[in-house]
């Protein structure tokens, strides 16, 4: 049976969509991802202020990702008896606490502790987000709702790093994190008044996150996720060196190309809401193929600036559909255990991020950015084949 047409009767029926709650979730995503990205743009002033190296300060990003990975594996079971509304509000409180702790931190260990709290919030939010969105809108509107929630990622990608870097030079990095705390406060206020009570559901058919891998379709799905996200993060991590060396873009051109990536990523998220209602597997397959071809074109025509800009934008557009596409697939593959599925998806993506950065660095040292792009192209092609031939088949 096709995963795209499979629905189970265990899912709670929603008659009236709670769009205000969906947008509140999206705003929460924006706050979380903004907080996650800020150290990247503020690394130098943070390191100088705390009298540590930039490499040491960079561990604020590492610890967040690691804690998010661990949290995604256990949060469903730890909070299984709690109202999901209370749990989501708690994640937003962790965001606020993290931002304030960073703002007033006197040393690096205190900042690392604060980033542990943020990692818990990010890992927990992503794990439960698909399942909660499924309880806010009718089944036929879930793809649209997911695209709205995940648009917060794209907006944070566009705004957080450049704005954080600019404002950090004007008002200082500590005040930037204070503003992030204010952002979290607004998200908490919005969520408090819009999220409905969502008692825990105890009818899950699996025994937990890892137990889902007993299902063949989930094993193939997670393999495809690893291939796609490893390929993307290898590509994206070494995009700037490619643009500076092969395309020979100056700082202004580089900024415009990266902005084009972010804007296209936002539109890709919006486009996915329309595409996945027609075919989830074909959407994911098509986007993987587009990314594979785009990487090849960049390697072949990297000396042509306008083609490079177009290629980077196309990559951003295609990747923008991935969170919505995979979350929609998950909501249909395991609709009666979406929380455990969400934990497995988050853990798999975090693993892929680590693999992409590590493997990309190894390939970059051997063959440069062009070699990384070729490897990414190959991974995307394998992902497309896997999705088309295996993931859309249930069992």
């Amino acid at each position: 049976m096709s995963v795209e047409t499979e629905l189970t009767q265990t899912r709670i029926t929603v008659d009236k969509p709670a769009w205000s709650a969906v947008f509140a979730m999206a705003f929460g995503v924006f706050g979380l991802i903004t907080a996650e990205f800020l150290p990247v743009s503020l690394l130098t002033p943070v390191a100088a202020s705390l009298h540590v190296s930039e490499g040491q300060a960079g561990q604020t990003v590492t610890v967040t990702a690691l804690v998010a990975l661990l949290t995604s594996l256990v949060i469903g079971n730890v909070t299984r008896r709690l109202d999901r509304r209370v749990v989501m509000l708690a994640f937003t409180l962790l965001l606020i606490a993290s931002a304030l702790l960073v703002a007033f931190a006197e040393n690096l260990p205190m900042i690392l502790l604060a980033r542990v709290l943020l990692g818990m919030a990010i890992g927990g939010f992503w794990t439960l987000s698909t399942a909660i969105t499924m309880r806010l809108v009718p089944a036929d509107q879930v793809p649209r709702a997911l695209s709205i929630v995940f648009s917060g990622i794209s907006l944070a990608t566009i705004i957080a790093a450049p704005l954080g870097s600019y404002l950090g030079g004007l008002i200082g990095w500590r005040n930037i994190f204070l503003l992030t705390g204010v952002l979290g406060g607004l998200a908490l206020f919005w969520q408090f008044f819009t999220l409905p009570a969502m008692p825990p559901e105890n009818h899950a058919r699996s025994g937990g996150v890892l137990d889902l891998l007993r299902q063949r379709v989930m094993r193939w799905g997670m393999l495809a996720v690893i291939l796609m996200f490893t390929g993307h993060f290898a590509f994206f991590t070494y995009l700037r060196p490619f643009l500076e060396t092969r395309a020979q873009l100056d700082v202004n051109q580089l900024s415009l190309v990266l902005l084009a990536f972010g804007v296209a990523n936002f539109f890709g998220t919006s486009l996915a809401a329309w595409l996945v209602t027609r075919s989830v597997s074909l959407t994911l397959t098509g986007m993987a193929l587009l990314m594979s071809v785009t990487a090849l074109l960049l390697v072949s025509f990297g000396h042509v600036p306008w083609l490079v800009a177009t290629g980077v934008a196309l990559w951003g557009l295609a990747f923008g559909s991935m969170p919505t596409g995979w979350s929609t697939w998950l909501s249909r593959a395991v609709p009666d255990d979406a929380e455990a599925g969400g934990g497995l998806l988050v853990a798999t993506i975090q693993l892929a991020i680590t693999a992409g950065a590590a493997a990309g660095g190894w390939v970059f040292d051997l063959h440069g950015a062009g070699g990384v792009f070729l490897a990414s192209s190959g991974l995307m092609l394998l992902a497309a084949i896997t999705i088309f031939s295996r993931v859309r088949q249930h069992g």
Side-chain angles (χ1 to χ4, degrees):
M1 180 186 296
S2 171
V3 170
E4 295 179 34
T5 60
E6 187 202 44
L7 293 173
T8 77
Q9 299 304 314
T10 56
R11 185 182 183 276
I12 291 177
T13 301
V14 180
D15 296 323
K16 184 178 180 181
W19 290 114
S20 294
V22 171
F23 280 101
M25 293 269 289
F27 192 74
V29 170
F30 176 72
L32 286 168
I33 301 305
T34 295
E36 185 179 18
F37 285 172
L38 278 179
V40 175
S41 59
L42 299 172
L43 207 59
T44 300
V46 169
S49 175
L50 299 177
H51 306 292
V52 298
S53 70
E54 292 186 0
Q56 290 174 312
Q59 298 310 308
T60 58
V61 178
T62 304
V63 73
T64 303
L66 178 61
V67 174
L69 168 60
L70 297 176
T71 301
S72 69
L73 295 174
V74 301
I75 195 66
N77 285 332
V78 170
T79 65
R80 66 183 181 275
R81 299 183 183 277
L82 299 177
D83 187 306
R84 292 359 232 160
R85 176 179 184 272
V86 173
V87 174
M88 297 306 286
L89 292 176
F91 292 148
T92 306
L93 281 172
L94 286 176
L95 163 63
I96 298 170
S98 173
L100 294 179
L101 277 174
V102 172
F104 294 105
E106 297 180 355
N107 50 54
L108 182 60
M110 187 177 292
I111 290 184
L112 292 177
L113 173 61
R115 300 294 288 184
V116 166
L117 298 181
L118 181 64
M120 293 169 61
I122 292 173
F125 186 96
W126 290 129
T127 297
L128 303 181
S129 59
T130 297
I132 289 177
T133 302
M134 291 168 64
R135 298 177 67 175
L136 295 177
V137 299
D140 62 337
Q141 297 183 34
V142 167
R144 179 187 173 196
L146 287 171
S147 74
I148 291 172
V149 171
F150 293 127
S151 67
I153 301 177
S154 301
L155 288 175
T157 302
I158 297 170
I159 296 173
L163 191 60
S165 180
Y166 175 72
L167 290 179
L170 294 178
I171 63 177
W173 66 270
R174 293 184 185 275
N175 286 323
I176 295 298
F177 280 97
L178 281 177
L179 289 177
T180 305
V182 172
L183 195 67
L186 293 174
L188 180 68
F189 181 84
W190 194 350
Q191 291 166 2
F192 182 84
F193 286 102
T194 59
L195 286 177
M198 291 176 281
E201 299 175 289
N202 298 313
H203 54 254
R205 71 186 176 192
S206 83
V209 171
L210 298 180
D211 195 58
L212 285 177
L213 290 176
R214 295 178 184 274
Q215 301 179 40
R216 185 182 179 192
V217 69
M218 292 300 294
R219 293 197 299 272
W220 283 113
M222 292 307 102
L223 174 60
V225 169
I226 288 178
L227 291 171
M228 291 193 74
F229 281 85
T230 298
H232 167 71
F233 282 99
F235 174 96
F236 192 66
T237 300
Y238 297 96
L239 176 60
R240 179 164 181 166
F242 177 85
L243 296 177
E244 291 175 331
T245 57
R246 182 68 186 277
Q248 296 185 334
L249 302 184
D250 59 33
V251 175
N252 291 332
Q253 292 172 325
L254 180 66
S255 299
L256 287 175
V257 169
L258 293 178
L259 177 62
F261 173 91
V263 172
N265 185 269
F266 175 79
F267 282 107
T269 302
S270 303
L271 178 64
W274 180 78
L275 291 176
V276 297
T277 58
R278 284 143 181 84
S279 175
V280 177
S281 63
L282 289 181
T283 297
L284 292 170
T285 300
M287 292 303 178
L289 284 174
L290 176 60
M291 295 166 86
S292 179
V293 172
T294 297
L296 288 177
L297 290 176
L298 286 173
V299 172
S300 302
F301 301 99
H303 58 285
V304 183
W306 71 268
L307 279 177
V308 170
T310 301
V312 172
L314 284 175
W315 187 282
L317 179 77
F319 184 72
S321 68
M322 293 301 102
T324 300
W326 281 113
S327 295
T328 301
W329 176 82
L330 184 71
S331 72
R332 298 178 180 181
V334 284
D336 55 347
D337 208 2
E339 289 188 3
L344 180 60
L345 180 63
V346 172
T348 303
I349 291 173
Q350 293 295 332
L351 177 63
I353 292 173
T354 304
W362 178 71
V363 175
F364 182 82
D365 289 340
L366 291 176
H367 303 290
V372 174
F373 284 16
L374 286 175
S376 294
S377 176
L379 289 172
M380 289 299 175
L381 179 59
L382 288 175
I385 294 172
T386 301
I387 295 166
F388 187 76
S389 64
R390 299 294 182 179
V391 172
R392 66 196 182 108
Q393 300 298 321
H394 193 173

